[in-house]
Amino acid sequence: MTTARILDFIRTRRPDGPCLVVDLDVVRDNFRSFRKALPDSSIFYAVKANPAPEILRLLAGLGSNFDCASVTEIEMAMKAGATSNRVSYGNTIKKERDIARAHALGVSLFAVDSHEEVEKIARAAPGARVFCRVLTDGEGAEWPLSRKFGCVPQMAVDVLVYAHQLGLVSHGVSFHVGSQMTKLDAWDAALGDARRVFDKLAQQGIHLKMVNMGGGFPTRYLKDIPTAQAYGQAILTALHKHFGNNIPETIIEPGRGMVGNAGVIKAEVILVSRKSDEDAVRWVFLDIGKFGGLAETMDEAIRYSIVTPRDGDAMEPCVLAGPTCDSADVLYEKTPYPMPVSLTIGDEILIEGTGAYTTTYSAVAFNGFEPLRSYVI
Ligand SMILES: *Cc1c(COP(=O)(O)O)cnc(C)c1O
């Protein structure tokens, strides 16, 4: 969403070079929509989506909790005003000394997906609460996270029994349906798996309390997406279906859905050219590419909405590429991107819906290009 405030900022401040501008009003609206859609779920903002201090401070003030993947993210959330009981260490892959540091900071909620990780937590954070992540198939997600995190539900049962035996509090089950999930029913199967893990543990006298339903809530790029309200409704229906009147505590961890539509990247056309006189497709080179923050164009997975100053003119499909000397730095080629025929060197364009997963993905100085600058307004 390119808000009037963002346009005004770009027009009056005229920042040089590519930059991200994030409108905090949009983040605030998103937080309120999630809270309204799922009033009984605690919101844990996934810090990795955009860890700008202004965003963390705003969300801490609104009562958000924080899903952190490292000690640095935990420290950033706490610096923004969150107390340690509002922080979850949600990465299933942690060094034992980082678990100890988080424990020393007061964090007592940890993700696991293996026996080995449970052992580390039992040693470094004795008595802590753990939840076990189960695999999902990621089907319907434009940026799937499957395979790397989680274990099969039967193993989750064993992992949580083991945690209990080692003196930890087996607190619940988590899953992530995959990022940019556009299917409303994606949570249903995962909640069914969660319920079966609850039942198997109850048979052994261990009573889980919590289901962490992860992130996955989308940002609108080129296609319309369902509202937060529609996601909330689908999730509530699935919770009732699988848990009846015994709905456990629930957590959601929106990242993209909290900040994606709050940011716009201003970029510039550096070159428009062809590879031969007969070439039907022009190449448009921007001053930002895969290494400047647009890493989610990998495999052309995320297709951003791009606004140019010549959008009324005739359009023609173009290959869109970044400025670095790496041939991987091509954004859209398999499916060329329609751009105005009149587009020319020096034109400023806006890449919309870029508030999530851009600043954190930009390289420090590849080819001497500075990391993506960000303004939070
Ligand atoms: C990345 C991540 C999220 C956020 O996912 P989105 O799809 O951006 O909402 C939530 N939880 C965990 C554990 C994550 O790793």
Side-chain angles (χ1 to χ4, degrees):
M1 210 185 326
T2 307
T3 63
R5 295 181 69 219
I6 293 177
L7 285 177
D8 196 51
F9 177 88
I10 294 172
R11 202 177 310 118
T12 54
R13 289 280 299 269
R14 303 234 40 86
D16 188 38
C19 63
L20 170 69
V21 187
V22 176
D23 186 340
L24 285 177
D25 286 350
V26 180
V27 180
R28 188 182 296 106
D29 286 347
N30 290 338
F31 181 84
R32 289 184 175 146
S33 299
F34 279 120
R35 183 175 264 173
K36 196 157 153 242
L38 288 163
D40 296 326
S41 298
S42 305
I43 299 173
F44 281 67
Y45 171 59
V47 172
K48 73 170 185 289
N50 191 326
E54 299 90 337
I55 294 174
L56 301 183
R57 266 202 302 277
L58 171 78
L59 290 173
L62 290 169
S64 187
N65 306 280
F66 296 89
D67 167 48
C68 301
S70 66
V71 172
T72 304
E73 284 190 356
I74 292 169
E75 287 168 344
M76 290 194 295
M78 292 180 69
K79 199 161 167 232
T83 44
S84 57
N85 61 335
R86 288 164 62 188
V87 169
S88 157
Y89 199 161
N91 192 341
T92 53
I93 305 152
K94 303 173 283 298
K95 288 181 181 165
E96 189 164 328
R97 57 185 182 277
D98 287 338
I99 297 168
R101 285 163 68 200
H103 178 65
L105 288 168
V107 174
S108 70
L109 185 59
F110 295 87
V112 295
D113 63 3
S114 66
H115 291 75
E116 294 78 1
E117 194 73 12
V118 165
E119 289 171 359
K120 288 188 218 165
I121 295 173
R123 285 189 297 263
R129 291 169 299 158
V130 294
F131 54 91
C132 188
R133 181 154 167 183
V134 292
L135 284 167
T136 60
D137 62 13
E139 178 152 354
E142 289 176 22
W143 191 258
L145 304 164
S146 48
R147 293 308 306 159
K148 181 168 173 185
F149 309 103
C151 59
V152 297
Q154 182 50 52
M155 185 180 269
V157 172
D158 299 340
V159 164
L160 288 167
V161 168
Y162 190 48
H164 179 80
Q165 287 166 349
L166 294 191
L168 296 168
V169 178
S170 293
H171 190 56
V173 174
S174 77
F175 57 83
H176 193 302
V177 294
S179 202
Q180 188 66 10
M181 172 52 77
T182 51
K183 274 176 42 193
L184 286 176
D185 59 3
W187 280 260
D188 181 69
L191 284 168
D193 285 342
R195 171 63 202 251
R196 285 183 283 280
V197 174
F198 269 60
D199 285 350
K200 293 220 169 98
L201 280 153
Q203 286 162 13
Q204 308 198 41
I206 300 168
H207 298 282
L208 300 180
K209 288 209 174 65
M210 185 274 284
V211 180
N212 177 342
M213 305 187 288
F217 308 95
T219 284
R220 188 190 187 285
Y221 297 111
L222 288 167
K223 282 179 246 137
D224 276 338
I225 51 159
T227 60
Q229 205 62 28
Y231 280 91
Q233 208 39 258
I235 289 171
L236 286 174
T237 303
L239 275 169
H240 280 289
K241 173 175 153 194
H242 296 292
F243 287 92
N245 289 326
N246 264 323
I247 295 184
E249 279 173 38
T250 53
I251 282 177
I252 53 167
E253 299 176 327
R256 188 187 306 276
M258 189 74 84
V259 292
N261 67 339
V264 173
I265 286 174
K266 183 218 74 159
E268 182 179 328
V269 176
I270 306 181
L271 180 67
V272 183
S273 64
R274 293 178 200 270
K275 300 292 168 192
S276 78
D277 289 339
E278 298 79 44
D279 210 347
V281 179
R282 291 169 307 148
W283 283 64
V284 173
F285 296 91
L286 306 176
D287 61 354
I288 185 170
K290 274 206 169 68
F291 304 100
L294 303 179
E296 288 199 317
T297 58
M298 211 183 289
D299 299 326
E300 309 194 11
I302 298 292
R303 212 166 159 82
Y304 294 108
S305 151
I306 300 177
V307 176
T308 81
R310 302 174 196 274
D311 278 351
D313 297 357
M315 306 291 260
E316 196 177 74
C318 297
V319 176
L320 219 58
T324 63
C325 296
D326 188 314
S327 55
D329 193 9
V330 175
L331 307 177
Y332 304 115
E333 182 176 17
K334 271 184 290 180
T335 311
Y337 201 100
M339 295 292 248
V341 179
S342 53
L343 194 75
T344 189
I345 294 168
D347 281 352
E348 274 190 4
I349 62 159
L350 299 176
I351 310 173
E352 299 184 300
T354 41
Y357 304 121
T358 50
T359 50
T360 39
Y361 274 152
S362 80
V364 169
F366 183 29
N367 276 162
F369 292 106
E370 65 171 290
L372 180 59
R373 240 173 315 137
S374 137
Y375 301 94
V376 181
I377 61 173

